[in-house]
Amino acid sequence: MQRTRRAARTISTFLAAALPLSVPCALTAPDARADGGPAPATRGVGQQPGHPAVLYSGQERTVAAYCPQGTKPTGGGASVDSDLRSAVYFRKSLPDPAGNRWVLLAYNASPDVQTVHPKVICSTDSTLTYEASKETPLEPGESGYTTANCSNTRFVVGGGFEGGDRTFVTSSGSLNGGAWAVRMKYTDYRPDAPPSFQRSVAVCSDTQPTWKFGTTVDLAPGEVGNATAECPAGQVPLSGDTHGGTDVLLTTSAPTATGWTAWAKNDGFDPRTLFVDVLCTTP
């Protein structure tokens, strides 16, 4: 099975540490409603953009993209198309089953105004369920690691994360095909800073996805880089794996029409590597 191959790469990364886009194939998603609510019903697997959000320097905002009626979210993310190299970091990117949407919380650490474009991948898979890990406490300056697990008979097809104030994602992806693993960094270094937290969420299905390696990029301290992954011909993305080191803060992690893309900044003092993989299915 693909789980063994996937586990070796994902686990080694953690131990070492650690828009609107075109809509693919079977699901032609209509435009989002003006109020940001769900669009009319469609079928298959496809993508739905949310409304862009403008962030001023030092501002934090929540954005969301909604699935059409009759579908559920499997993956999601956001890009900062105004400046792909900008320091816009994410402390939340996860499914909200009750709202049938993907929710993100972004913080603009750059000195300039930036625009965040959210997006969600939606599926008619009736077996989709969502499993959350317990919250893991984090002390100032600490990196944490959490996993949310599917049952032994089911497969992870997507997932997400949530962290407390000033706690940003560095890695988020499938672990051994049956869990979603997340690493986050609490970037408040003050000794008297209050404790933070992190947790992860797994999207589970009865159907095993196709998992594909993507590109890698080496990041020197302070450097920003991009990595991508492509689905096999005739398949579309369900979600994406994005992995970096302890101090590699993600600035974009989002689906493309045929795969996944990520940008990240090495905010540490040692060289790191960013790589991206994608989980795919036949629509």
Side-chain angles (χ1 to χ4, degrees):
M1 294 176 63
Q2 296 180 11
R3 294 188 179 184
T4 302
R5 186 183 181 193
R6 183 181 303 123
R9 183 168 181 179
T10 305
I11 293 173
S12 65
T13 301
F14 286 129
L15 295 179
L19 356 146
L21 303 173
S22 58
V23 179
C25 298
L27 176 61
T28 302
D31 294 337
R33 277 182 8 193
D35 61 359
T42 52
R43 296 186 181 278
V45 177
Q47 300 177 21
Q48 182 76 14
H51 291 289
V54 175
L55 276 70
Y56 293 94
S57 179
Q59 186 179 20
E60 186 174 68
R61 287 189 64 180
T62 298
V63 293
Y66 290 78
C67 280
Q69 297 171 8
T71 67
K72 296 180 181 180
T74 63
S79 62
V80 187
D81 293 347
S82 50
D83 182 359
L84 291 171
R85 295 180 174 271
S86 65
V88 175
Y89 304 135
F90 295 91
R91 68 180 182 96
K92 178 190 289 188
S93 178
L94 77 175
D96 171 22
N100 202 34
R101 60 181 184 163
W102 198 271
V103 180
L104 302 104
L105 184 57
Y107 171 71
N108 183 6
S110 80
D112 303 312
V113 177
Q114 306 293 349
T115 302
V116 176
H117 296 264
K119 196 152 196 179
V120 62
I121 301 175
C122 308
S123 172
T124 56
D125 183 351
S126 62
T127 70
L128 292 177
T129 57
Y130 305 89
E131 304 293 338
S133 72
K134 294 181 179 180
E135 292 185 358
T136 296
L138 297 175
E139 296 300 321
E142 186 179 13
S143 291
Y145 175 74
T146 55
T147 61
N149 299 287
C150 299
S151 69
N152 291 336
T153 60
R154 311 195 73 214
F155 303 95
V156 65
V157 294
F161 56 85
E162 181 178 18
D165 187 48
R166 300 281 300 275
T167 303
F168 305 119
V169 65
T170 64
S171 296
S172 179
S174 174
L175 177 64
N176 201 26
W180 196 263
V182 172
R183 186 176 290 278
M184 303 185 75
K185 177 71 177 286
Y186 184 19
T187 63
D188 193 336
Y189 299 94
R190 298 173 301 159
D192 60 345
S196 184
F197 74 93
Q198 75 164 80
R199 69 185 181 100
S200 54
V201 176
V203 183
C204 307
S205 172
D206 286 349
T207 303
Q208 184 178 18
T210 302
W211 184 83
K212 295 295 291 183
F213 283 116
T215 62
T216 64
V217 60
D218 295 327
L219 299 176
E223 188 177 11
V224 178
N226 168 244
T228 61
E230 291 293 318
C231 289
Q235 295 196 20
V236 294
L238 286 168
S239 62
D241 288 16
T242 308
H243 305 288
T246 300
D247 297 302
V248 178
L249 303 182
L250 303 183
T251 62
T252 282
S253 181
T256 67
T258 57
W260 202 266
T261 186
W263 287 81
K265 179 182 179 182
N266 183 353
D267 206 39
F269 300 99
D270 299 310
R272 300 292 187 188
T273 298
L274 170 71
F275 68 82
V276 174
D277 306 312
V278 63
L279 281 71
C280 310
T281 190
T282 300

